Structure formats: structure tokens, C-alpha cells
Amino acid sequence: MTQDELKQQVAQAALKHVVEDKVVGVGSGSTVNFFIDALAGIKGRIEGAVAASEASAERLKKHGIRVFDLNGVSELPVYVDGADEITEHLHMVKGGGGALTREKIIAAVAAKFVCICDASKLVPVLGKFPLPVEVIPMARSYVGREMLRRKSQPVLREGFKTDNGNLILDCHGLTILDPPALEAELNNIPGVVTNGLFARRGADILLLGEPAGVRAIPVKR
Ligand code: 5RP
């Protein structure tokens, strides 16, 4: 099975978590694109979606799925999104596509976070994938120095601006043994908008695409 087939398989499996006649939260990335395409098949059974990126919103609209502003949505039973890395505790590194801030906001609102990944994303320890940190442009150098103090090598994502008009530092070389603690610590650096650790609000269930099929891994509480 190709990686795309694994992604397609989990995207399809996520449909059964979508709640009928409600708004569904939709993340961003290539796995989510397969989910959006699958969602088109049941669009008559949902009220619409909120999207974590302009790209996802465009794709939803092309399929004729109504896209709501999050501020106008009072109830969001489910959020479906991918990850760049995920552990068995369902802590994640996200933001490879740069949509981490909006993803984190929608994840916070949602009652249930369904993470969809191919098998390559499951790791024992987070950090091999460089941790994306969204920063206010004037804080770029300062936050970079703060990351260096934490033994990480920040690399500015060249030619990239987030949907919020900010910059991304991809922070290499971290071995993240306590994701909730590091998430909180990095959030406290002035100028950091969001960091790509999703641990304090991790996923509730992981749908992992493996050659043998989709494995559902619920969070251990
Ligand atoms: C974007 C994200 C994506 O969920 C993450 O990058 C995974 O993307 P893909 O499904 O393309 O591997 O966090 O900001």
C-alpha cells in the first residue's frame, strides 16, 4: 500500500466519527485533504464545517460544503486533523503545513479530536520532526535565541507567512520527554503565538493507517 492509500483509508474511517446534522472541525494537510474529499460524499448529512486553513476552506467550498466562521459556532462535537508526529499517549507535533494556531484553536473548542495518520507518524518520542513555532515577526530573533538556549536549532521557514501573517521557526534537535511541560514553557516566551506541541489538548482517538487496515487507538486516561 502506498502512503497515499494509507491516508485515504484513515480519512474514510474518520467519517464514522462525524456527527450528523452538526458542524465538523476540519484541520489541514494532505491527509485532511483526503478527509475533505470523503466528507463530500456525506455533505447532505452535516450542517457544514469550520476549517483550520484557507486551503482547507477552499477545498471544502469546492465540494459544496458550507464553511462557518468559528465565532458563529456554539457546538463542535468533532475535530478531524492529521499530525506530523504522534505518540501512544496521543501527544502530537503539528504545524508542518503552518496552520498550527488555527488548528489549536479549533481543537480547543471541539469535544472530540480525531487524529488521522499513516503509520509513519507514530513515534516513541516527539522531536525528530522539527517543532514549528509561530512567532510575531518582530520577535523572530529573540525567540530564536530562546530556542538556542534550549539546545534547539531554529530555522526560519523561508518565504512562508502563516494565514495570520506571522513567521514559522522550525526548531530542530529537540528530544521532547515531557510534551505538556514544554508546550506550556514555549507558550510563555514573549512573541510566540503558538507552538506545534499538541499535548495539553491532545487527540482523543488516533486512527492509524497500517497496511493491515485502520487501527483505532483511544487515549489512555
Ligand atoms: C498542518 C498540520 C498537518 O496536520 C500535519 O502537517 C500533517 O500533514 P500531512 O497530513 O500532510 O502529513 O499540522 O499544520
Side-chain angles (χ1 to χ4, degrees):
M1 252 180 155
T2 65
Q3 200 177 16
D4 272 358
E5 284 167 339
L6 295 175
K7 289 179 183 182
Q8 222 162 354
Q9 174 178 256
V10 285
Q12 193 66 35
L15 286 183
K16 76 167 193 293
H17 293 269
V18 173
V19 178
E20 292 218 0
D21 301 323
K22 301 284 180 199
V23 175
V24 58
V26 174
S28 64
S30 58
T31 316
V32 162
N33 282 344
F34 285 118
F35 173 68
I36 294 172
D37 296 347
L39 199 58
I42 61 158
K43 66 180 177 189
R45 286 159 43 199
I46 57 168
E47 195 181 351
V50 290
S53 67
E54 302 294 344
S56 290
E58 276 315 301
R59 199 176 185 99
L60 286 158
K61 285 179 197 162
K62 271 197 189 133
H63 281 301
I65 298 170
R66 188 166 171 203
V67 177
F68 289 84
D69 181 328
L70 184 65
N71 292 304
V73 172
S74 55
E75 196 193 357
L76 193 65
V78 176
Y79 176 55
V80 178
D81 200 358
D84 298 301
E85 287 184 337
I86 185 162
T87 67
E88 60 169 7
H89 302 288
L90 308 198
H91 295 151
M92 294 163 279
V93 165
K94 292 183 44 55
L100 60 165
T101 298
R102 296 187 186 193
E103 290 171 348
K104 208 175 262 200
I105 295 167
I106 301 178
V109 172
K112 180 159 99 171
F113 186 144
V114 178
C115 183
I116 51 173
C117 289
D118 66 83
S120 69
K121 305 288 182 70
L122 184 63
V123 297
V125 178
L126 300 175
K128 195 165 175 201
F129 188 94
L131 179 68
V133 179
E134 180 167 351
V135 296
I136 300 279
M138 74 171 286
R140 182 193 71 206
S141 299
Y142 170 66
V143 175
R145 289 193 295 275
E146 286 295 307
M147 294 311 298
L148 283 170
R149 267 196 336 111
R150 289 165 174 82
K151 310 277 180 272
S152 171
Q153 298 78 50
V155 176
L156 179 67
R157 201 176 289 184
E158 286 294 340
F160 184 85
K161 248 192 188 175
T162 68
D163 285 346
N164 315 306
N166 296 315
L167 304 173
I168 298 274
L169 295 176
D170 288 307
C171 297
H172 295 249
L174 291 164
T175 301
I176 304 169
L177 299 177
D178 188 345
L182 186 65
E183 182 180 1
E185 182 183 330
L186 299 184
N187 280 345
N188 274 333
I189 301 173
V192 168
V193 178
T194 315
N195 70 81
L197 278 169
F198 284 56
R200 301 179 85 80
R201 198 283 181 254
D204 297 297
I205 186 163
L206 166 63
L207 303 179
L208 193 68
E210 298 177 318
V214 175
R215 183 153 58 108
I217 305 173
V219 70
K220 298 172 192 149
R221 300 213 192 263

